[in-house]
Amino acid sequence: QVQLVESGGGLVQAGGSLRLSCAASGTIFSINFMGWYRQAPGKQRELVAVIFSGGNTNYADSVKGRVAISRDNAKNTVYLQMNSLKPEDTAVYYCHTKGAVVPGGPFVDSWGQGTQVTVSS
């Protein structure tokens, strides 16, 4: 299991923008995907966006057109650019990946500790 560290969360006004970063630490041989999830108080964790090893991306309908996920493979880092933020985007955002640390080794799920995003109205 690799360690994931999120950053970039904070307080922003409605209509504003924010960029989240997630860096995977340690030696990683390969990563199947990296993605972002979020969880608001009293609600279940939901997928926001994911980028696969081949470059394909998927977005939740609620954020489509407002967010963009990107990656820097050399740094094992994934970014989430969020624009036109709404109060309903307020949640703890979690980074998630599934990767192998050694050649031929198993792919293991890893989760970050989360970063708080608060959008004021």
Side-chain angles (χ1 to χ4, degrees):
Q1 185 174 9
V2 302
Q3 183 178 18
L4 302 176
V5 180
E6 301 106 331
S7 62
L11 176 65
V12 64
Q13 293 182 342
S17 298
L18 208 60
R19 185 171 72 173
L20 307 182
S21 299
C22 173
S25 64
T27 301
I28 302 173
F29 178 71
S30 64
I31 295 176
N32 262 354
F33 61 82
M34 297 188 77
W36 288 96
Y37 289 73
R38 67 185 182 187
Q39 188 167 20
K43 296 184 178 181
Q44 288 189 288
R45 189 173 299 183
E46 64 176 353
L47 175 70
V48 178
V50 61
I51 183 167
F52 297 93
S53 60
N56 275 338
T57 59
N58 288 117
Y59 298 93
D61 289 339
S62 60
V63 302
K64 195 170 298 182
R66 299 190 296 116
V67 308
I69 188 170
S70 60
R71 67 185 181 188
D72 185 333
N73 289 335
K75 297 180 179 180
N76 289 324
T77 300
V78 64
Y79 305 93
L80 186 69
Q81 178 67 46
M82 301 187 291
N83 303 315
S84 301
L85 285 166
K86 305 174 181 179
E88 48 263 46
D89 294 319
T90 296
V92 177
Y93 285 69
Y94 297 91
C95 183
H96 174 230
T97 189
K98 193 168 188 175
V101 298
V102 296
F107 283 80
V108 180
D109 284 301
S110 297
W111 291 87
Q113 293 297 309
T115 184
Q116 177 70 48
V117 171
T118 303
V119 184
S120 62
S121 60

